[in-house]
Each structure stands twice: as structure tokens, then as C-alpha cells.
Amino acid sequence: MPPWRRASAAAAPSSEEPARPLAGGNARVSPELSAERDVEGQEGEEWRWSALVPELLADILRRVDAGAERWPGRRDFVVCACVCRRWREAALALVRPPRLCGGITFLASLKQPGPRDAPIQCFIKRNKKKSTFHLYLSLTQALTGQGKFLLAARRNRCGLRMEYIISIRDDLSHGSYVGKLKSDFTRTKFTIYDQQPQYEGAKLPTSRCRRWLASKQINPLVSTGIVDTGVVSYEYNLLKSRGPRRIHCSVQCPADDGTAIDPEEANQPSTPLVLYNKLPRWHEHLQCWCLNFHGRVLVASVKNFQLIAPAGTGEPWGLQDDEMVILQFGKIEDDVFTMDYRQPLSAFQAFAICLTSFGSKLACE
């Protein structure tokens, strides 16, 4: 073989070997082609999941929902909702609100009314050094057992006022705020601000409050507007007599679906739900004020309370019993408190009301 032909045959790359850059020429880039193939494979995989027959998809989600009614097993149903948009829409259509199922699944459940028959049991952990509060859903019957994180709050001092920022993340990172709680200078009146209006004719806060919330970078994907949804006030104790606190709440809550409403009044602003704390009785033997918390409270504290509706005012929300406890809050350890709520309050509203109990109130004690 001539020398020039032998050199040419040695320089020619084999078709089975990967391409290598040649001297004096352009190198062929193969990773770009493989990346395109990976993207095509991912799109094809997602399309394969979203192309399931609707009846089959509904049956799969129904089986997962039936087999995971409570956390942490409920996580499997949430994972199914994260597969693709079609699965998420099917999961949202299948899952029932807390009022019907008695549980919490998605973030939207945090602002939906709780069940009517039995309360949802939660507990709050306080961190005094960081001035933070975390709300957990109780997973066991034990008062200090495991919990599923729901909401978090941080307390900020603005002169004599108190402000609580409520977030859906445990680290309270920016962009995750869903509401706030603000007090007056006496710390006896608190206003609840929600980032998602729950009724028609909601009262918008002042421009100053809107600028303050905007500076906190509230997540626009979670919120649709800033509304004033409730007021919690504590009665003054001018004589400084020793006794329990007196709480009065006025919260905007959606009416019960089973209640008949006049069509002419359907577009009118809803009537706020009025709650007040159930007065404890004086125990002569123990020489203290007592309330029946049914074993959910272990430590005596001025923060403990039970909220009920005035007689004859709970019919729009399906409250037939005047003595039914809507919200119960009490201390079980130094920095652990139980919180049990039911319809018509949501987890967000109940958490905001319980936050008002923290901190000293010189005008009430």
C-alpha cells in the first residue's frame, strides 16, 4: 500500500468509536443532541401519564384517596396531584373540603371551614428567643406527639404595637406570607388581614397597610387581595380585679351550604360571626377558675380560653347548640399549646385568634 494511502486509512475514525476532535477542524458536539433526546423523553413521559383514560385516572386517584385518609399517608395523594396538570385537576375535583372529610390536604384547606361534628385537633409550638409560632396538625391522640406542619408566624414589635406575620412555610421566607395580625397600642384589639377574600363586600384596608404588606413581598400566586376579615378585642379591666380575660371576636365566615338563603340577599355582604369566650366557674376546693377542656389542656394559664357563639346567632353557620365550643386553646407545656377548631372557622382564622392570646396585656390584667 502506498505510504499516503496507509496514513489516510490510519487517520480515518471508526464508525463504532465516538467522534473525536480533528486537528485543524471543528469538533462535533454530541451532548447537545443527547440533551434534546432527554427533553423529548421527559415530555413523552409526561404526555404518557396525562394521556390516561379519564375513568382510569379517576379510579387510581380514588384508590389512593381511600387508602391514605390521614397524614403522613396523605402525602401519597398530594404526590399524585404533582404528576402533571391533568392529575392535579382531577385530584382537586376529587378531594373533599375539611367541612366534609374532617382533614386537611392542600394549602387551600387552611382557609376553608373546619368540620361540624368533631373539631380538628392541632397544637402550637412557641419559640420565645426567635418570637416565632408554628402550627401543627395532630397525627396522634397524644398531646405532644408528632404533627404535620400547617402555618407559622413571627411576632414583630412596632413601638407599642404588635404585628404577627403568618406564613405557609416553617422558615417564614419572603414570598410565603398569606396574612397578618396587627394590634393597637394597648394590645387589646387585633385586626386580622387575609390575603384571599372569603366573602363578597370585604372591607379593604387602608393604603398604608397595603404598602406595608407589599414591602413584605407577599406571594402573588397565593393571594388575590388584601382584606380585613376579623377583629379580636379584649375587655378592659380598669379595676384590676383578678379574673379571666374576656374576649370578643367578630370574624367573616362563609355561610353553611345547607342553609337556605334568600336570593335577594345573596349579593349582600355576609353577617360576621360573633364569638365570645366561655366564662369559667370558680372552684372552691382548688381556689381557681376552671373550664372543662376534656383532657386537652394540662396547665393553668390566663391564655386558656373557649369561644362560643351567642344564643340564637349561629343558625347561618349551622350551629344549633349554643354551648358548642367553636375554638379551644390551652397550655400543655411551657411552650406548647393545643388548638382545636371547627366550623365555621378555618385553620388560618383559628391560628390568628390564638396568636392574640400571647403577650402581656396591661389593660386586661
Side-chain angles (χ1 to χ4, degrees), residues 11 13 57 84 111 169 182 184 194 228 245 255 268 272 342:
L57 175 58
C84 61
K111 293 190 176 182
R169 295 184 180 178
K182 187 175 181 180
D184 60 357
D194 191 0
D228 176 359
R245 296 174 176 175
Q268 299 296 327
R342 66 171 74 219

Side-chain angles (χ1 to χ4, degrees), residues 1-12:
M1 180 181 295
W4 62 270
R5 188 180 296 272
R6 187 182 302 111
S8 175

